[in-house]
Amino acid sequence: MRPNYTCQRCLSFLNPRPKAKSHSLRASTQLGRRALSSLNERSSKSTAKRTSPQNGGILPVALQRRTVSSAGGYGQVAREEPAEIPSPSGLERTPIPEITGRVLLQPNNLFHSFSNSPSPEIRQRAAFIKQHAYCPHPNHRQTRLPTNPDDPEARKSAVAQESESPAHVGYECPDCGVPVSCSEEHWADDYESHLEICDTLREINEDDHDLRSGRFFPEFEYPGAQMEEALVNMTNWDTLLYSREFRAINEPRSLRQATRLLTYPVTIGSVLHELSPYNIKRGGRLTPEGLKSLSGSGIDIQGLRPNPPPVRIFILGARAESSLPREVWVQLEHLFPRVSFHLIFIGPESMVNRDDEFPLPQRSPTNPFGGIVEDRISHQTKITTFVEYYHTLHEAGHFYPYDPYFDCFMLFHPGLGHPASSHEWEKTIPQLLETKVPVLVTGFTEWDMKRDQKWVEEKVGGEVDILMEPGENRFRSLRWDLNDLDPQDITCGNWGVWAFRGKRYETTRKDSE
């Protein structure tokens, strides 16, 4: 190990040598100075000699190495050698680690076509789209029944003789980078229709690359509880984030990334909060029955009982929302000081891809449905997950009794009226109406919400009260999402919200004459 730099005076005391005659301290100091000065003179002369034009400008390699090695004995670092950081005695020197990892994408370099993306996940996604999505050009034959009037499949013909066979997408639009057509000819021929969503697809492309850019995300840092006197302004996203003392989000892309997660707890809170932006005024979308059911919820009367029970929110058909970071769901309790919440996720897909995080427990007499309990999240929030259909738990009476003031059902994008999923709700919806508990429902689009409402009214007839009219959710996700099975289908998380409840019959007594 090479010794660290030590002055000549200290070396003379640390390494005493046999002296021919005694010298005074002053003489030894002068000797040390002469030795250092002579060394500097020799090094300067050797440098001038090495770089002199008479010698060709550069010394041989061997001579250069001898110069470096002789200078290194005095604690000097040569330019040709890497700098070493001194470490405490007894410890080995640790080499500087090499910086390795994924390539960082700068904000001005986020646009890449899916097939040529620097992210392997997006390249894999592009391969999936090309394998399963079909070209939307009207010359092709239909591959499925249209789900709404704006569905591109509605432009296609169902007759095989009058159209081409279906073809998978393989050509990526140069403007948005997403596979949208089977060939460049069909893309150019149908460019006017594609232009309606091209800018949105490009925004989705850049947002997906931003999530994988490797940058630091300050928008995912959430504030804690604040004093009760500080009221929350729930007019829109800007006023909410400001009044809740979030870090300032100045970029639209960062705001889209933040609202993609916060839309789930804030959507629930915006309907149940006493300062809710939805009211009974004209255009407020709240009905008289909704004013009775939602304004008198247990959140508003918590202070009237000495030991109120926690507010139970049953999230049915839970999927991605059940795997959100728990810091996101804790934001719900910060909107309601001194209110305890019990979030109950129910659905067969509530634990998809989370087996390593929470292995499913064995069913036992004390836990007959294998519920996964998370009670260490905070002092006011508890989360329980059931990988089961709700109608099974309801028939067993697992959650009885229900309290219409302290319970609430939440359905995120349930697809009540969708042909592929409506059969799963036929048994559940009548059971929800029996509880007389408010049911909040969100949808991807306005068409999706109206289809769900129409299906509910057809199935249960007049046994339902509308608490809030369908409309756009003020706290919807500002980020758009792409359907990998159909790139033309772009949706927005929790775009709209509405609410209903089982009809209540008030008993009136006729006075006897």
Side-chain angles (χ1 to χ4, degrees):
M1 182 183 299
R2 188 178 61 187
N4 296 331
Y5 174 77
T6 308
C7 68
Q8 193 72 15
R9 177 181 172 184
C10 297
L11 285 176
S12 63
F13 285 97
L14 295 176
N15 299 324
R17 297 180 180 179
K19 302 179 182 179
K21 56 181 179 179
S22 62
H23 296 277
S24 62
L25 179 61
R26 181 177 180 179
S28 62
T29 305
Q30 294 178 355
L31 180 60
R33 291 177 178 176
R34 287 198 300 272
L36 289 176
S37 61
S38 61
L39 174 63
N40 295 333
E41 292 177 0
R42 288 197 302 271
S43 61
S44 61
K45 290 180 181 179
S46 62
T47 303
K49 186 177 180 180
R50 185 172 65 250
T51 57
S52 62
Q54 300 176 358
N55 296 332
I58 301 177
L59 285 177
V61 178
L63 183 57
Q64 291 186 22
R65 292 178 179 175
R66 284 199 302 272
T67 305
V68 172
S69 62
S70 61
Y74 292 91
Q76 298 178 1
V77 179
R79 295 181 179 179
E80 291 82 356
E81 295 182 0
E84 295 188 32
I85 302 175
S87 59
S89 58
L91 299 178
E92 295 293 335
R93 296 180 185 271
T94 303
I96 300 177
E98 298 181 359
I99 300 177
T100 59
R102 55 188 175 185
V103 180
L104 299 179
L105 299 178
Q106 300 300 326
N108 58 353
N109 188 31
L110 293 177
F111 175 73
H112 300 272
S113 63
F114 273 26
S115 298
N116 300 320
S117 171
S119 172
E121 297 178 0
I122 296 182
R123 293 197 301 268
Q124 185 179 1
R125 186 180 183 185
F128 181 87
I129 294 176
K130 293 180 179 180
Q131 185 178 1
H132 295 85
Y134 288 96
C135 179
H137 196 276
N139 288 349
H140 293 288
R141 187 170 63 252
Q142 284 187 357
T143 57
R144 55 176 174 80
L145 294 176
T147 57
N148 58 74
D150 298 329
D151 194 337
E153 291 293 321
R155 303 183 304 161
K156 299 180 181 180
S157 175
V159 182
Q161 291 77 8
E162 299 178 359
S163 58
E164 302 176 6
S165 59
H168 291 286
V169 296
Y171 179 76
E172 295 179 339
C173 173
D175 297 328
C176 63
V178 179
V180 292
S181 298
C182 62
S183 62
E184 185 177 359
E185 291 75 13
H186 277 190
W187 169 79
D189 187 39
D190 199 33
Y191 182 72
E192 183 178 356
S193 176
H194 171 70
L195 199 60
E196 299 176 358
I197 61 173
C198 186
D199 292 340
T200 306
L201 291 177
R202 183 185 179 97
E203 182 180 291
I204 295 173
N205 186 337
E206 295 179 355
D207 289 347
D208 287 342
H209 281 93
D210 179 57
L211 286 179
R212 297 163 177 83
S213 63
R215 72 173 178 91
F216 177 69
F217 292 89
E219 59 267 28
F220 292 150
E221 293 184 351
Y222 305 111
Q226 60 188 32
M227 59 180 180
E228 299 183 20
E229 291 77 9
L231 299 179
V232 179
N233 190 333
M234 308 197 74
T235 304
N236 51 44
W237 275 118
D238 293 335
T239 59
L240 173 69
L241 298 179
Y242 177 77
S243 58
R244 273 287 295 122
E245 299 181 355
F246 276 75
R247 295 186 59 173
I249 302 178
N250 301 320
E251 297 295 333
R253 179 173 292 109
S254 299
L255 183 61
R256 292 195 297 267
Q257 306 289 17
T259 58
R260 183 65 181 88
L261 303 182
L262 290 173
T263 180
Y264 291 97
V266 177
T267 296
I268 300 176
S270 64
V271 178
L272 302 180
H273 203 276
E274 61 181 349
L275 301 178
S276 172
Y278 311 108
N279 49 59
I280 200 173
K281 297 179 181 179
R282 184 175 182 180
R285 295 170 49 191
L286 202 65
T287 63
E289 290 297 329
L291 184 65
K292 300 176 184 177
S293 183
L294 299 177
S295 299
S297 62
I299 294 177
D300 295 333
I301 63 176
Q302 283 277 342
L304 303 180
R305 298 178 59 176
N307 294 315
V311 176
R312 298 189 302 177
I313 300 179
F314 301 91
I315 302 176
L316 308 186
R319 296 184 297 271
E321 56 271 17
S322 63
S323 60
L324 287 178
R326 295 324 184 203
E327 293 82 1
V328 177
W329 285 111
V330 170
Q331 294 301 310
L332 181 61
E333 74 177 39
H334 295 329
L335 296 176
F336 305 93
R338 298 188 297 174
V339 177
S340 300
F341 288 94
H342 184 190
L343 304 179
I344 305 174
F345 297 100
I346 303 174
E349 301 179 11
S350 57
M351 290 297 294
V352 174
N353 299 327
R354 297 181 63 196
D355 295 337
D356 296 338
E357 180 183 2
F358 290 105
L360 296 180
Q362 296 293 335
R363 302 197 176 192
S364 61
T366 57
N367 190 9
F369 297 101
I372 302 172
V373 181
E374 303 173 53
D375 56 353
R376 300 290 182 178
I377 298 176
S378 67
H379 296 289
Q380 299 174 232
T381 302
K382 175 183 177 181
I383 295 180
T384 306
T385 306
F386 292 94
V387 186
E388 189 60 81
Y389 284 101
Y390 170 77
H391 57 79
T392 304
L393 301 171
H394 181 86
E395 293 172 355
H398 191 68
F399 300 116
Y400 273 99
Y402 293 93
D403 192 329
Y405 294 105
F406 288 91
D407 293 339
C408 174
F409 290 102
M410 185 70 223
L411 281 63
F412 290 110
H413 318 114
L416 300 177
H418 196 280
S421 57
S422 59
H423 65 281
E424 298 180 352
W425 296 98
E426 291 183 356
K427 198 173 183 179
T428 302
I429 294 300
Q431 296 174 347
L432 298 182
L433 300 180
E434 293 177 3
T435 63
K436 311 301 180 183
V437 172
V439 182
L440 310 181
V441 188
T442 64
F444 288 114
T445 60
E446 184 178 4
W447 172 266
D448 186 25
M449 288 190 304
K450 291 184 177 180
R451 181 182 58 185
D452 292 347
Q453 181 184 9
K454 181 179 179 181
W455 183 87
V456 171
E457 293 177 350
E458 290 177 353
K459 291 296 180 180
V460 298
E463 297 297 325
V464 60
D465 285 331
I466 300 298
L467 306 182
M468 187 169 65
E469 297 292 339
E472 184 176 358
N473 179 15
R474 295 200 181 190
F475 296 97
R476 68 175 180 88
S477 171
L478 299 181
R479 178 185 167 183
W480 294 91
D481 297 319
L482 174 67
N483 184 2
D484 293 347
L485 298 176
D486 185 6
Q488 311 297 320
D489 182 17
I490 53 176
T491 56
C492 177
N494 298 328
W495 184 90
V497 61
W498 62 291
F500 65 93
R501 183 203 61 204
K503 183 177 289 293
R504 294 180 180 176
Y505 295 94
E506 299 181 359
T507 304
T508 58
R509 184 177 60 182
K510 183 178 179 180
D511 296 335
S512 58
E513 297 180 358

